[in-house]
Amino acid sequence: MARGTQVWFNGKILPAENAKISLFTHGLHYGYGAFEGIRAYKQKKGGGAVFRLKEHMERFLESAKILDLKIPYSLNDLVQATVETCKANGFEECYIRPILYVADGPLGVNPGTTPPVDVAILNWEWGSYLGDEGASLGAKLKISSFIRPHVNSSMTKGKITGQYVNSVLAKREAIAAGFDEALLLDPEGYLTEGSGENLFMIRNGVIKTTPLTSILSGITRQTVLDYFKHLGYEVKDTRFTRDEIWCADEVFLTGTAAEITPIREIDYRPIGRGDHVGKPGPITAKLKKDYSAMVRGELPEYGRDWLTPIV
Ligand code: PPE
């Protein structure tokens, strides 16, 4: 995992080792901040481009609004800063992590009415999120003993730093039990998403994904919904249960880091039918191939304005 040597910190590009923060940082104590995860890809026509950068930065600004934090940067400033950071690191293909948090100021839960906020953008190179084997053969999931909090406890429309303790606990539990990833239920027992991915299942040609109530509104999820609608598939945004997903023909996870990750097993039960039991199914395999082409500018019929060149 090679890290970029340069970071963007409060409006300037700096060597990463010079961007230091204080132990009195409010966001470190209380998790009051927000982040994004974005990927840039090498393009077929040459050079690099950032996939759906504007949509990620819109969600970043909405996370700040949910937290009632003001930052002095516009959508366009953040888009430009991201491109500049990738250029400063010489990366054409990388993961991009914008982060904002309440900075050094008075400690105590109350950060005051106009707290100081730091904003940074970092880069690193990141391979398959659930490992190369998970990406190609399919990952193994376990329903977590941790649940996604009620919608009045966690702000699901924001990518809020402190909320990720729930994801870290679920992920560590799943890994310790020999699985690749956790699937979390909501307080009523319906499936929601993985620790860092959205969830899809396919049965009898009908594609289902969990509703936006208790999940992050994933940008990859939306890309996949647009893709399936374009191809004329029936797609339902609806709740489903663990026994329904055990009997699915195909299951996959979506996310910027995870991209399209097929699922081969859930709770020790192999997923799929016929020739595809315990293997990625045909619709998932085609989606995975097409997603990989789309982000590299090889399928211009999907979102012509989804790729921001790193120039
Ligand atoms: N749900 C959660 C909880 C989540 O964290 C992510 C992204 C998604 C769904 C998918 O959202 P999107 O990337 O917009 O399609 N998780 C990010 C962070 C992963 C991490 O380990 O850090 C990511 O994929 O970048």
Side-chain angles (χ1 to χ4, degrees):
M1 185 168 113
R3 294 181 179 175
T5 57
Q6 308 295 307
V7 298
W8 184 94
F9 189 45
N10 293 331
K12 288 190 207 81
I13 301 273
L14 300 176
E17 67 269 20
N18 294 355
K20 299 250 190 292
I21 64 166
S22 154
L23 287 175
F24 289 84
T25 298
H26 182 282
L28 179 64
H29 293 246
Y30 309 108
Y32 207 73
F35 68 101
E36 268 306 317
I38 315 174
R39 276 192 193 262
Y41 294 92
K42 280 194 177 140
Q43 300 297 296
K44 190 183 171 201
K45 61 174 195 216
V50 185
F51 188 62
R52 306 204 71 173
L53 175 55
K54 188 166 155 273
E55 290 86 344
H56 280 282
M57 286 307 188
E58 278 168 353
R59 190 172 66 187
F60 191 54
L61 289 169
E62 281 177 10
S63 293
K65 183 172 188 177
I66 289 166
L67 294 172
D68 191 23
L69 295 176
K70 310 244 169 348
I71 61 169
Y73 307 107
S74 65
L75 178 62
N76 193 40
D77 294 339
L78 294 167
V79 164
Q80 281 311 314
T82 303
V83 170
E84 291 308 317
T85 315
C86 294
K87 268 167 52 183
N89 284 310
F91 282 148
E92 290 182 340
E93 181 148 336
C94 64
Y95 187 77
I96 301 159
R97 167 56 52 80
I99 182 164
L100 61 88
Y101 50 85
V102 176
D104 185 338
L107 282 177
V109 166
N110 177 16
T113 45
T114 51
V117 180
D118 280 341
V119 186
I121 303 173
L122 339 173
N123 294 158
W124 65 87
E125 290 180 313
W126 212 356
S128 307
Y129 189 56
L130 297 182
D132 289 340
E133 191 183 306
S136 55
L137 302 179
K140 297 180 185 179
L141 306 184
K142 174 89 190 85
I143 306 279
S144 183
S145 72
F146 297 96
I147 60 164
R148 276 286 183 242
H150 185 273
V151 292
N152 279 343
S153 300
S154 82
M155 302 295 106
T156 60
K157 299 297 161 283
K159 205 162 161 60
I160 311 299
T161 56
Q163 284 177 186
Y164 275 78
V165 169
N166 178 245
S167 284
V168 177
L169 287 167
K171 179 88 183 187
R172 297 191 70 187
E173 179 190 60
I175 301 280
F179 296 84
D180 301 307
E181 183 56 288
L183 271 186
L184 290 97
L185 304 177
D186 69 15
E188 290 180 73
Y190 292 93
L191 282 156
T192 62
E193 59 181 345
S195 74
E197 314 89 349
N198 292 127
L199 176 66
F200 284 77
M201 65 164 275
I202 307 174
R203 190 174 154 90
N204 297 330
V206 178
I207 298 165
K208 288 188 185 176
T209 191
T210 55
L212 287 178
T213 38
S214 32
I215 61 167
L216 183 73
S217 176
I219 290 161
T220 321
R221 175 185 181 277
Q222 192 55 52
T223 302
V224 168
L225 288 174
D226 292 349
Y227 167 89
F228 281 131
K229 281 181 196 151
H230 184 83
L231 293 181
Y233 280 99
E234 188 184 346
V235 187
K236 289 187 181 160
D237 176 326
T238 180
R239 303 209 285 192
F240 46 92
T241 56
R242 69 167 84 187
D243 50 352
E244 188 172 347
I245 207 169
W246 287 338
C247 300
D249 298 336
E250 302 185 36
V251 177
F252 60 89
L253 297 175
T254 68
T256 300
E259 303 173 302
I260 310 298
T261 302
I263 300 308
R264 66 170 139 160
E265 188 186 299
I266 304 177
D267 295 334
Y268 308 103
R269 290 157 176 82
I271 298 298
R273 275 198 220 185
D275 294 344
H276 299 286
V277 178
K279 293 186 192 149
I283 300 174
T284 309
K286 177 159 184 347
L287 164 68
K288 189 173 162 56
K289 189 163 156 281
D290 286 348
Y291 182 81
S292 171
M294 197 188 296
V295 297
R296 291 176 173 83
E298 293 166 28
L299 292 182
E301 65 269 36
Y302 297 101
R304 273 165 211 285
D305 49 358
W306 286 354
L307 289 162
T308 305
I310 302 173
V311 284

